[in-house]
Amino acid sequence: MLTLIWVAAAVALIPLALVFAWILGAGLPAVSWDFFTQIPAPLGQSGGGMANALIGTLTLVGLASCVGVPLGILCGVFLSEYAESKLARITRFTLDLLTSVPSIVIGLFIYALLVVPMRGFSAWAGAAALAIIMLPIIGKTTEEVLKLVPDNIREAGLALGISRWRVIMSIVLKGSSGAVATGVILAVARAAGESAPLLFTAFSNQFWPSGLGQPTPSLPVQIYVYAISPYAEWHQLAWAGALVLVSVVFVLNLSTRILMSRSGVVRAR
Amino acid sequence: MASSTHDVRRSDRAFKRGLQVAAWAILALFGALFWFLFMSAKPAFDAFGWQFYVTKVWNPVLDQYGALAFMWGTLVSSLLALVIAVPVSVGAALYLTELAPRPLRAPVGFLIEMLAAIPSVVYGIWGIFVLAPFLRKWVQPFLSEHLGFIPLFEGAPFGLGMMTAGIILAIMITPTITAITREVFRSIPDLLREGALALGATRWEMLRIAVLKTGAAGILGATVLGLGRAMGETMAVAMVIGNRADISLSLLKPGATMASVIANEYAEAGSDMHLAALTAVGLGLFFVSLIVNSAARAIIWRVERTGS
Amino acid sequence: MLNLRNFLTLPLVVTLAAISAEAGANTLINGAGATFPQPIYSKWFAEYASVNKAASINYQAIGSGGGIRQLIQGTVDFGATDEPMSAEEAGKVKTPVLHVPTVLGAVAVSYNVPGVKSLNLTGEMVAEIFMGTIKKWNDPKIVAANKDAKLPDLAIVPTYRSDGSGTTAVFTDYLVKASKGFEIKVGKGKAVMWPAGIGAKGNAGVAGVIAQNPGAVGYVELVFAATNNLAVASIQNKSGEFVAPSTASVSAAATGRVPEMLKNDFKVSITDPTTKGAYPISSFTWLLIPNEMSKVKGSAMIAFVDWALGATGQKMAADLNYAPLPKELATEVVARVKKLQLK
């Protein structure tokens, strides 16, 4: 039986390793200093990079997280700590439904909600779409890990006279912060890699981003444009972009973990 | 908490109120989304009625639309993805929390979380240029020749089709399910594991009783997230599924999913009826999701009842 | 102090810094539309930004239909399309819209038949292949047109575009003219219900399927076929010649049509032409510029069109395998664009 677990792990990891190796092999040659500092060059000209798209992605994901992370965590806390209330049951079901909405449909929704009334594409609209994508992931993960905290911990806190909200926030949530962080990282990773919802909300921009109320470039959209083009040089830039995107998420993940361990979060396994 | 007794402190009541606001925000968001989809799809409902969801024909030239083929495609590809991904991901999570050598655990965990960021268009291109040819050359001819009498495997091997879509989806949702399941397993107190071992369980029995059973609800949560991604995935599926609005039992044949047809046709949709029909397909995804989620919840409820 | 809270606010600080550095630099003009001309437009706009530093023109390919819808909603300043706007669509835009042809493109029929280096096909044959009525490569009809080739007994796998596109629109526009049967059974449009074969997404998808399946045949943009050295068929035009797609044969399809273009506000389909040496499945691609624009944006667009349809711009297009406009047409178009009303 234990061998099956080994086999399962291998089957999970091997295709992922293959995809990553493919991106690495195809993209690494095109990653250069120019990539991180230049906007795209005209076709046929060497140099040029995806610096504007990188900044755009950081902006969009950053803005989306400002709303998506707190709202998602609060929602998860509610679903776990007040689980049997009618509101919680309906919300849990709704959150499940929200996870399967295609990202392009979310983009179209935000388009009708924000882009048309504002008469233009903007980073705000793009961030709104990404926030909606992030919410269910953060909410559900938070709920699941909080539910696994044994009740005796809560009871101990209450017995000491600590108010309920402090028990929840400072003991239960804080103790599971590592696991909640995983949910946040997964949501950030997902948001950073989505192109379909951004096309109708943040649009894109081959120049430097000129403001939060203006079309904003992003790595996934740029990767998509290059990947489906006829030109080999653009294909290479697409893979380089994918490599950079994955690396940025990796760095974000690593830094978050390091900073968390510095502030005293200890993980057993 | 076992039961939510009335909060005495004002700060606790205010906190609960705050959380409720967050929950209502989610409901309002969902309501707005549903309303938007419904209003945009209304022309299609007025023209075709509810038969829209049981008609197979999809003809943009004649403005005749029906979502049945896409609903079938979504169900088959997502189910195939789950059947592959869930055992594999749970196994990988078990490996990473229980069996792997300690120094290996964090790095491999990082890698998996990082791979959740690979854009779907990259998976799509990898599918076209690496996975599909591989399946077409090595796997599908074998299946077609030796197992072709089973309806599941009949037909000529093209590389693109339902099987490739299911496999690509499985690869895409594995990082999410693995990472969350891993967190769930890590959150299970060691006391339960030690208790099982103290009672004389073998390693596997300990894992089954203390880890898998306790984490079952968490695994379901991770699965729901993975399923959601699989059903809503647009780009990668659109690139490898062969895009025929057809219903077939064979995994080797091309098909189409609800998300893929929206991604393929929305930008260039000609008539207003075409747009409305595509939005109606999006609405149909809610119904499919509703059914699948309810079924999943019913299963876990039954397991929890008989188990504990 | 390096702690979690400061780390989390870092992205916001970085981006606000980056944005404020660039804010107010110059006017941003946004356009959306067809995917087919995206490479040449992106090259033109990038090069033009160094010619005219006052305006940056940002174009994104979200599809012809998408571009037209954005124009109607007023979220972009100009659009681009591979198919002229219908009267219904034109009626929804607040001001009249000028169709400005920029370059020519073509749809190439690419195939993968082992041992066959060149292939001649008539329009009727292409239609029957894609309807599924001609099923094998050694069908007598194909053999009759290709006496020198050794056509194998191999099943034909038609490959079509699964995503709605101008390429499909031009291809089916030609096929309905070439075959009555196709017009009845399938019809024309950006997305149609193909009776046979598999659908792949984008040019890359179709090319990928063709490359991996012996016996496959599909249609791709000429730019894509030329840049990736795909094997393409020569199609018989109305004069009876079998013409291979190339920038020359595509431009030939537009010669002699200038009077017609002027009469119809530049909106003319050039598939199935009678000119000698013309490739039958060619088409224009247009920029959609509203007749009334603000002074700043309008003058930038006029200057741009003048530059793009001039010698430099058109040469850049030819270098990227886009067929340039006939010179007389280019002059007429620029003259018309200069009459845009600027407020």
mmCIF file of all heavy atoms in Angstrom, chain C residues 100-102 258 261-262 266 284 305-306 308-311 314 324-338:
data_model
loop_
_atom_site.group_PDB
_atom_site.id
_atom_site.type_symbol
_atom_site.label_atom_id
_atom_site.label_comp_id
_atom_site.label_asym_id
_atom_site.label_seq_id
_atom_site.Cartn_x
_atom_site.Cartn_y
_atom_site.Cartn_z
ATOM 1 N N VAL C 100 -10.547 51.843 -43.206
ATOM 2 C CA VAL C 100 -9.261 52.195 -43.792
ATOM 3 C C VAL C 100 -8.469 50.916 -44.082
ATOM 4 O O VAL C 100 -7.937 50.304 -43.165
ATOM 5 C CB VAL C 100 -8.455 53.088 -42.826
ATOM 6 C CG1 VAL C 100 -7.100 53.422 -43.417
ATOM 7 C CG2 VAL C 100 -9.230 54.355 -42.502
ATOM 8 N N PRO C 101 -8.382 50.489 -45.368
ATOM 9 C CA PRO C 101 -7.600 49.275 -45.640
ATOM 10 C C PRO C 101 -6.121 49.540 -45.395
ATOM 11 O O PRO C 101 -5.623 50.617 -45.726
ATOM 12 C CB PRO C 101 -7.870 49.004 -47.126
ATOM 13 C CG PRO C 101 -8.336 50.293 -47.700
ATOM 14 C CD PRO C 101 -8.925 51.111 -46.594
ATOM 15 N N THR C 102 -5.436 48.615 -44.782
ATOM 16 C CA THR C 102 -4.030 48.835 -44.429
ATOM 17 C C THR C 102 -3.095 47.881 -45.155
ATOM 18 O O THR C 102 -2.071 48.294 -45.693
ATOM 19 C CB THR C 102 -3.824 48.665 -42.921
ATOM 20 O OG1 THR C 102 -4.462 47.455 -42.507
ATOM 21 C CG2 THR C 102 -4.408 49.834 -42.165
ATOM 22 N N VAL C 258 -9.719 49.323 -57.588
ATOM 23 C CA VAL C 258 -9.742 50.630 -56.921
ATOM 24 C C VAL C 258 -11.045 51.397 -57.142
ATOM 25 O O VAL C 258 -11.620 51.926 -56.194
ATOM 26 C CB VAL C 258 -8.515 51.484 -57.332
ATOM 27 C CG1 VAL C 258 -8.579 52.850 -56.688
ATOM 28 C CG2 VAL C 258 -7.238 50.766 -56.945
ATOM 29 N N MET C 261 -13.597 50.070 -54.903
ATOM 30 C CA MET C 261 -13.331 50.407 -53.510
ATOM 31 C C MET C 261 -13.844 51.822 -53.214
ATOM 32 O O MET C 261 -14.447 52.081 -52.183
ATOM 33 C CB MET C 261 -11.831 50.350 -53.193
ATOM 34 C CG MET C 261 -11.246 48.963 -53.149
ATOM 35 S SD MET C 261 -11.680 48.072 -51.640
ATOM 36 C CE MET C 261 -10.335 48.511 -50.563
ATOM 37 N N LEU C 262 -13.568 52.741 -54.158
ATOM 38 C CA LEU C 262 -13.972 54.126 -53.911
ATOM 39 C C LEU C 262 -15.483 54.241 -53.839
ATOM 40 O O LEU C 262 -16.027 54.989 -53.049
ATOM 41 C CB LEU C 262 -13.421 55.032 -55.021
ATOM 42 C CG LEU C 262 -11.904 55.232 -55.005
ATOM 43 C CD1 LEU C 262 -11.453 56.032 -56.200
ATOM 44 C CD2 LEU C 262 -11.501 55.950 -53.719
ATOM 45 N N PHE C 266 -14.469 51.767 -49.580
ATOM 46 C CA PHE C 266 -13.344 50.866 -49.354
ATOM 47 C C PHE C 266 -13.741 49.489 -48.835
ATOM 48 O O PHE C 266 -12.871 48.719 -48.411
ATOM 49 C CB PHE C 266 -12.316 51.476 -48.383
ATOM 50 C CG PHE C 266 -11.765 52.784 -48.846
ATOM 51 C CD1 PHE C 266 -11.991 53.934 -48.104
ATOM 52 C CD2 PHE C 266 -11.055 52.889 -50.029
ATOM 53 C CE1 PHE C 266 -11.498 55.162 -48.535
ATOM 54 C CE2 PHE C 266 -10.559 54.111 -50.459
ATOM 55 C CZ PHE C 266 -10.778 55.252 -49.713
ATOM 56 N N PHE C 284 -8.651 42.177 -47.824
ATOM 57 C CA PHE C 284 -8.117 43.354 -47.135
ATOM 58 C C PHE C 284 -8.284 43.163 -45.646
ATOM 59 O O PHE C 284 -9.073 42.353 -45.179
ATOM 60 C CB PHE C 284 -8.906 44.615 -47.520
ATOM 61 C CG PHE C 284 -8.627 45.100 -48.899
ATOM 62 C CD1 PHE C 284 -9.546 44.898 -49.916
ATOM 63 C CD2 PHE C 284 -7.449 45.766 -49.188
ATOM 64 C CE1 PHE C 284 -9.303 45.361 -51.197
ATOM 65 C CE2 PHE C 284 -7.199 46.229 -50.468
ATOM 66 C CZ PHE C 284 -8.122 46.017 -51.479
ATOM 67 N N VAL C 305 -1.634 57.013 -40.364
ATOM 68 C CA VAL C 305 -2.088 56.341 -41.579
ATOM 69 C C VAL C 305 -1.241 56.792 -42.770
ATOM 70 O O VAL C 305 -0.843 55.989 -43.620
ATOM 71 C CB VAL C 305 -3.588 56.611 -41.834
ATOM 72 C CG1 VAL C 305 -4.010 56.046 -43.184
ATOM 73 C CG2 VAL C 305 -4.426 55.998 -40.738
ATOM 74 N N ASP C 306 -0.935 58.097 -42.802
ATOM 75 C CA ASP C 306 -0.097 58.619 -43.872
ATOM 76 C C ASP C 306 1.249 57.882 -43.890
ATOM 77 O O ASP C 306 1.758 57.484 -44.938
ATOM 78 C CB ASP C 306 0.106 60.121 -43.638
ATOM 79 C CG ASP C 306 0.682 60.821 -44.854
ATOM 80 O OD1 ASP C 306 0.698 60.198 -45.933
ATOM 81 O OD2 ASP C 306 1.116 61.965 -44.722
ATOM 82 N N ALA C 308 1.963 54.866 -42.405
ATOM 83 C CA ALA C 308 1.857 53.418 -42.567
ATOM 84 C C ALA C 308 1.554 53.018 -44.007
ATOM 85 O O ALA C 308 2.010 51.981 -44.484
ATOM 86 C CB ALA C 308 0.787 52.873 -41.638
ATOM 87 N N LEU C 309 0.730 53.845 -44.688
ATOM 88 C CA LEU C 309 0.384 53.494 -46.059
ATOM 89 C C LEU C 309 1.408 54.043 -47.057
ATOM 90 O O LEU C 309 1.277 53.858 -48.260
ATOM 91 C CB LEU C 309 -1.020 54.024 -46.400
ATOM 92 C CG LEU C 309 -2.152 53.002 -46.199
ATOM 93 C CD1 LEU C 309 -2.150 52.433 -44.799
ATOM 94 C CD2 LEU C 309 -3.492 53.627 -46.499
ATOM 95 N N GLY C 310 2.431 54.725 -46.533
ATOM 96 C CA GLY C 310 3.497 55.220 -47.391
ATOM 97 C C GLY C 310 4.542 54.145 -47.617
ATOM 98 O O GLY C 310 4.399 52.995 -47.191
ATOM 99 N N ALA C 311 5.622 54.529 -48.256
ATOM 100 C CA ALA C 311 6.622 53.537 -48.660
ATOM 101 C C ALA C 311 7.226 52.791 -47.468
ATOM 102 O O ALA C 311 7.352 51.566 -47.488
ATOM 103 C CB ALA C 311 7.722 54.217 -49.466
ATOM 104 N N GLN C 314 4.635 50.324 -45.763
ATOM 105 C CA GLN C 314 4.271 49.192 -46.604
ATOM 106 C C GLN C 314 5.448 48.236 -46.805
ATOM 107 O O GLN C 314 5.262 47.022 -46.943
ATOM 108 C CB GLN C 314 3.733 49.681 -47.952
ATOM 109 C CG GLN C 314 2.419 50.451 -47.816
ATOM 110 C CD GLN C 314 1.248 49.543 -47.456
ATOM 111 O OE1 GLN C 314 0.919 48.621 -48.192
ATOM 112 N NE2 GLN C 314 0.646 49.774 -46.312
ATOM 113 N N PRO C 324 1.441 44.321 -49.547
ATOM 114 C CA PRO C 324 1.170 45.761 -49.505
ATOM 115 C C PRO C 324 -0.013 46.142 -50.390
ATOM 116 O O PRO C 324 -0.370 45.408 -51.302
ATOM 117 C CB PRO C 324 2.462 46.397 -50.019
ATOM 118 C CG PRO C 324 3.199 45.327 -50.710
ATOM 119 C CD PRO C 324 2.676 44.011 -50.266
ATOM 120 N N LEU C 325 -0.618 47.321 -50.107
ATOM 121 C CA LEU C 325 -1.719 47.802 -50.915
ATOM 122 C C LEU C 325 -1.204 48.279 -52.263
ATOM 123 O O LEU C 325 -0.083 48.757 -52.363
ATOM 124 C CB LEU C 325 -2.403 48.988 -50.231
ATOM 125 C CG LEU C 325 -3.059 48.756 -48.881
ATOM 126 C CD1 LEU C 325 -3.598 50.072 -48.344
ATOM 127 C CD2 LEU C 325 -4.179 47.743 -48.990
ATOM 128 N N PRO C 326 -2.028 48.161 -53.320
ATOM 129 C CA PRO C 326 -1.638 48.784 -54.597
ATOM 130 C C PRO C 326 -1.472 50.278 -54.375
ATOM 131 O O PRO C 326 -2.239 50.894 -53.635
ATOM 132 C CB PRO C 326 -2.841 48.493 -55.504
ATOM 133 C CG PRO C 326 -3.598 47.389 -54.852
ATOM 134 C CD PRO C 326 -3.317 47.462 -53.396
ATOM 135 N N LYS C 327 -0.451 50.874 -55.042
ATOM 136 C CA LYS C 327 -0.098 52.261 -54.727
ATOM 137 C C LYS C 327 -1.244 53.242 -54.952
ATOM 138 O O LYS C 327 -1.444 54.170 -54.158
ATOM 139 C CB LYS C 327 1.131 52.700 -55.537
ATOM 140 C CG LYS C 327 2.418 52.077 -55.046
ATOM 141 C CD LYS C 327 3.617 53.011 -55.249
ATOM 142 C CE LYS C 327 4.902 52.448 -54.653
ATOM 143 N NZ LYS C 327 5.307 51.134 -55.195
ATOM 144 N N GLU C 328 -2.024 53.043 -56.043
ATOM 145 C CA GLU C 328 -3.113 54.007 -56.303
ATOM 146 C C GLU C 328 -4.115 53.973 -55.174
ATOM 147 O O GLU C 328 -4.655 55.003 -54.761
ATOM 148 C CB GLU C 328 -3.877 53.713 -57.598
ATOM 149 C CG GLU C 328 -3.128 52.991 -58.694
ATOM 150 C CD GLU C 328 -3.133 51.492 -58.517
ATOM 151 O OE1 GLU C 328 -4.143 50.832 -58.836
ATOM 152 O OE2 GLU C 328 -2.100 50.994 -58.039
ATOM 153 N N LEU C 329 -4.368 52.776 -54.661
ATOM 154 C CA LEU C 329 -5.326 52.650 -53.579
ATOM 155 C C LEU C 329 -4.818 53.376 -52.335
ATOM 156 O O LEU C 329 -5.548 54.118 -51.678
ATOM 157 C CB LEU C 329 -5.572 51.173 -53.271
ATOM 158 C CG LEU C 329 -6.619 50.889 -52.186
ATOM 159 C CD1 LEU C 329 -7.960 51.490 -52.592
ATOM 160 C CD2 LEU C 329 -6.754 49.394 -51.965
ATOM 161 N N ALA C 330 -3.543 53.176 -52.030
ATOM 162 C CA ALA C 330 -2.977 53.797 -50.836
ATOM 163 C C ALA C 330 -3.142 55.311 -50.881
ATOM 164 O O ALA C 330 -3.525 55.945 -49.888
ATOM 165 C CB ALA C 330 -1.500 53.415 -50.699
ATOM 166 N N THR C 331 -2.853 55.907 -52.033
ATOM 167 C CA THR C 331 -2.980 57.377 -52.132
ATOM 168 C C THR C 331 -4.414 57.819 -51.888
ATOM 169 O O THR C 331 -4.670 58.788 -51.176
ATOM 170 C CB THR C 331 -2.554 57.884 -53.535
ATOM 171 O OG1 THR C 331 -2.024 56.809 -54.271
ATOM 172 C CG2 THR C 331 -1.580 59.024 -53.434
ATOM 173 N N GLU C 332 -5.381 57.094 -52.505
ATOM 174 C CA GLU C 332 -6.789 57.457 -52.299
ATOM 175 C C GLU C 332 -7.193 57.362 -50.842
ATOM 176 O O GLU C 332 -7.904 58.214 -50.312
ATOM 177 C CB GLU C 332 -7.685 56.515 -53.127
ATOM 178 C CG GLU C 332 -7.551 56.652 -54.625
ATOM 179 C CD GLU C 332 -8.127 57.964 -55.139
ATOM 180 O OE1 GLU C 332 -8.886 58.613 -54.398
ATOM 181 O OE2 GLU C 332 -7.804 58.341 -56.272
ATOM 182 N N VAL C 333 -6.731 56.311 -50.173
ATOM 183 C CA VAL C 333 -7.107 56.108 -48.779
ATOM 184 C C VAL C 333 -6.578 57.237 -47.912
ATOM 185 O O VAL C 333 -7.306 57.812 -47.097
ATOM 186 C CB VAL C 333 -6.577 54.755 -48.269
ATOM 187 C CG1 VAL C 333 -6.852 54.615 -46.785
ATOM 188 C CG2 VAL C 333 -7.200 53.612 -49.039
ATOM 189 N N VAL C 334 -5.300 57.573 -48.105
ATOM 190 C CA VAL C 334 -4.707 58.644 -47.299
ATOM 191 C C VAL C 334 -5.465 59.943 -47.525
ATOM 192 O O VAL C 334 -5.761 60.683 -46.574
ATOM 193 C CB VAL C 334 -3.211 58.810 -47.628
ATOM 194 C CG1 VAL C 334 -2.656 60.028 -46.920
ATOM 195 C CG2 VAL C 334 -2.442 57.571 -47.218
ATOM 196 N N ALA C 335 -5.808 60.216 -48.786
ATOM 197 C CA ALA C 335 -6.547 61.454 -49.089
ATOM 198 C C ALA C 335 -7.868 61.481 -48.344
ATOM 199 O O ALA C 335 -8.265 62.513 -47.773
ATOM 200 C CB ALA C 335 -6.779 61.540 -50.599
ATOM 201 N N ARG C 336 -8.551 60.339 -48.299
ATOM 202 C CA ARG C 336 -9.853 60.276 -47.616
ATOM 203 C C ARG C 336 -9.679 60.457 -46.111
ATOM 204 O O ARG C 336 -10.453 61.154 -45.455
ATOM 205 C CB ARG C 336 -10.523 58.931 -47.943
ATOM 206 C CG ARG C 336 -11.816 58.682 -47.198
ATOM 207 C CD ARG C 336 -12.881 59.701 -47.547
ATOM 208 N NE ARG C 336 -14.066 59.550 -46.716
ATOM 209 C CZ ARG C 336 -14.239 60.107 -45.552
ATOM 210 N NH1 ARG C 336 -13.276 60.860 -45.024
ATOM 211 N NH2 ARG C 336 -15.358 59.929 -44.862
ATOM 212 N N VAL C 337 -8.637 59.826 -45.548
ATOM 213 C CA VAL C 337 -8.424 59.903 -44.099
ATOM 214 C C VAL C 337 -8.151 61.336 -43.669
ATOM 215 O O VAL C 337 -8.578 61.784 -42.603
ATOM 216 C CB VAL C 337 -7.280 58.965 -43.668
ATOM 217 C CG1 VAL C 337 -6.889 59.203 -42.231
ATOM 218 C CG2 VAL C 337 -7.691 57.519 -43.859
ATOM 219 N N LYS C 338 -7.463 62.098 -44.561
ATOM 220 C CA LYS C 338 -7.142 63.480 -44.189
ATOM 221 C C LYS C 338 -8.394 64.328 -44.057
ATOM 222 O O LYS C 338 -8.358 65.426 -43.507
ATOM 223 C CB LYS C 338 -6.191 64.101 -45.222
ATOM 224 C CG LYS C 338 -4.796 63.526 -45.125
ATOM 225 C CD LYS C 338 -3.768 64.340 -45.890
ATOM 226 C CE LYS C 338 -2.364 63.886 -45.461
ATOM 227 N NZ LYS C 338 -1.405 63.876 -46.562
#
